[in-house]
Amino acid sequence: MNIEMFALEIMDNTVLKKSVLVLLCTFLFWKIVRYMCDLLKVDKEPVKVLVTGAAGQIGYALVPMIARGMMLGPNQPVILHMLDIEPGLEALKGVKMELIDGVVATTDVVEACKDVNIAVMLGGSPRKEGMERKDVMSKNVSIYKAQASALEEHAASDCKVLVVANPANTNALILKEFAPSIPEKNITCLTRLDHNRALGQISEKLNVHVSDVKNVIIWGNHSSTQYPDVNHATVTTSNGHKPVRELVADDNWLNSEFITTVQQRGGAIIKARKLSSALSAASAACDHIHDWVLGTPKGTWVSMGVYCDGSYGIQSGLIYSFPVTCDKGEWNIVQGLKIDELSREKLDKTAQELIEEKTLAYSCL
């Protein structure tokens, strides 16, 4: 009897010790997890993002993407400033109702530009039937002169600007002229849409995932003179990175149909759906800002319309699309790429169009 009770006592003590040990380990594990979470926790200041033309098709597609973190990441708080003209006010109110919190929706350009860190300029005057090219340019010069002045006076000093409204390159140039305190490297235009279209065409041609294609280039103007270039593009295969030209093995297609398809993709979408390519444009705008702010993957470049410094023999003082890499909020033009004879001709052709647009725009001032 005594032996049985002694054995039970030993068992009880062992179970108790194990229970205490398990509880202690659980408590210590919880404390370690809490400590690590506290180390990783970073309280971020909200970034103020301005979207002009926010009640339009692209704006309606873009603002929920920004709100969901597709532009600046899921852990970055944002305050949206949405601007549109008076006729778009009711539609703008509807967009705000769908988003509700953390949104400034207004027709007052000063209020919209107040302390913004990022400005996505969707608003502009499209060319309508019967309008002369100079009439369209004159309207856009007026719009971007006024909005540039508002950004100059009221935006944050480090504001990053992305112009989407066409003519995007020249609109960005006008904005730069009338917002001199915003660094020239902080004013860009959207050619990422064309870049993404080029990636899509190659992935479709080779029947590979679009994420396996990289380093296409859009040179020049966001217009039908742009040059989609695959000479340095590669595809990730089971045997490593392979040149696009080698895998496609059809220079005739790459030098003709591929180029015109990318150049005319916007028109083809309008013809198909009777509306502009709002969804892909909004997605491309998110991609542009995302990579600019958070950086491009190592070994990968993207296309951005940026202020030209004379790289690749292009006249300085234009907003011209180049291949760029991004790091710590700064973009840099990829240097040293070989330019063949066909490419040289196309780079110069689209540059000439931008020179003509610049001359026309300045004549409207």
Side-chain angles (χ1 to χ4, degrees):
M1 187 71 172
N2 288 338
I3 293 172
E4 288 178 355
M5 295 208 33
F6 179 73
L8 286 171
E9 186 175 289
I10 291 173
M11 288 177 64
D12 287 343
N13 286 338
T14 302
V15 171
L16 181 62
K17 287 178 181 178
K18 286 184 177 179
S19 299
V20 170
L21 184 61
V22 168
L23 289 171
L24 181 61
C25 288
T26 303
F27 176 76
L28 288 172
F29 178 76
W30 177 78
K31 291 288 285 183
I32 291 168
V33 170
R34 283 289 303 272
Y35 177 72
M36 293 301 293
C37 287
D38 287 340
L39 284 177
L40 292 171
K41 184 178 178 183
V42 178
D43 292 325
K44 293 186 176 181
E45 286 293 318
V47 171
K48 294 182 179 180
V49 181
L50 166 66
V51 179
T52 70
Q57 283 194 86
I58 300 176
Y60 185 72
L62 177 61
V63 290
M65 293 182 185
I66 299 172
R68 290 177 61 192
M70 292 175 66
M71 178 178 281
L72 296 171
N75 299 318
Q76 176 60 64
V78 297
I79 297 173
L80 274 167
H81 290 212
M82 302 191 301
L83 175 69
D84 218 308
I85 56 176
E86 287 289 345
L89 181 58
E90 287 304 310
L92 190 61
K93 287 179 180 177
V95 176
K96 182 181 178 181
M97 287 167 65
E98 293 196 68
L99 292 171
I100 299 300
D101 295 325
V103 177
V104 175
T106 182
T107 58
D108 183 338
V109 68
V110 172
E111 182 184 7
C113 292
K114 182 68 174 173
D115 297 328
V116 294
N117 307 104
I118 294 169
V120 182
M121 316 300 284
L122 306 178
S125 179
R127 189 171 185 174
K128 298 177 182 176
E129 190 174 352
M131 289 183 72
E132 294 294 328
R133 192 160 170 251
K134 186 170 182 177
D135 295 333
V136 181
M137 187 66 75
S138 180
K139 284 181 176 291
N140 280 289
V141 165
S142 177
I143 292 168
Y144 277 84
K145 181 179 176 180
Q147 293 187 349
S149 298
L151 287 170
E152 168 77 7
E153 289 187 42
H154 303 289
S157 60
D158 63 348
C159 181
K160 287 178 164 58
V161 182
L162 167 61
V163 177
V164 178
N166 289 321
N169 300 60
T170 302
N171 284 343
L173 187 62
I174 294 302
L175 190 147
K176 177 200 165 294
E177 292 297 320
F178 288 94
S181 71
I182 298 177
E184 60 189 33
K185 288 199 73 169
N186 281 21
I187 297 174
T188 65
C189 80
L190 186 70
T191 55
R192 184 63 176 269
L193 175 57
D194 311 298
H195 182 99
N196 289 350
R197 287 167 172 169
L199 292 174
Q201 288 300 304
I202 297 300
S203 71
E204 190 172 46
K205 182 74 171 177
L206 295 175
N207 195 27
V208 297
H209 197 281
V210 70
S211 63
D212 290 331
V213 187
K214 69 175 186 178
N215 294 350
V216 299
I217 304 169
I218 303 297
W219 299 97
N221 199 4
H222 176 60
S223 73
S224 60
T225 68
Q226 66 176 258
Y227 174 41
D229 178 6
V230 299
N231 287 327
H232 310 280
T234 62
V235 178
T236 302
T237 71
S238 57
N239 296 317
H241 299 300
K242 298 290 184 181
V244 163
R245 281 200 178 273
E246 177 184 318
L247 294 177
V248 172
D250 186 350
D251 282 350
N252 183 56
W253 182 80
L254 287 171
N255 293 339
S256 55
E257 185 181 338
F258 163 73
I259 293 173
T260 55
T261 298
V262 175
Q263 289 173 336
Q264 300 170 10
R265 189 67 164 180
I269 291 170
I270 291 172
K271 185 176 179 180
R273 67 183 296 263
K274 314 306 178 193
L275 293 167
S276 66
S277 49
L279 184 60
S280 55
S283 179
C286 275
D287 291 342
H288 178 112
I289 296 293
H290 179 278
D291 288 347
W292 188 3
V293 173
L294 301 178
T296 48
K298 187 176 181 180
T300 300
W301 61 65
V302 295
S303 301
M304 289 173 59
V306 299
Y307 193 67
C308 180
D309 60 359
S311 292
Y312 293 98
I314 302 303
Q315 179 178 303
S316 60
L318 301 173
I319 301 288
Y320 190 98
S321 182
F322 288 98
V324 302
T325 56
C326 302
D327 184 47
K328 297 178 182 177
E330 297 285 337
W331 56 261
N332 286 288
I333 296 172
V334 177
Q335 299 290 347
L337 298 176
K338 184 179 179 181
I339 305 297
D340 62 22
E341 188 176 343
L342 174 67
S343 298
R344 182 75 266 164
E345 179 185 329
K346 292 186 177 297
L347 264 67
D348 292 342
K349 180 180 178 181
T350 191
Q352 184 57 42
E353 183 182 52
L354 284 169
I355 292 168
E356 292 170 4
E357 280 189 14
K358 178 180 180 179
T359 302
L360 181 61
Y362 279 54
S363 73
C364 297
L365 293 174

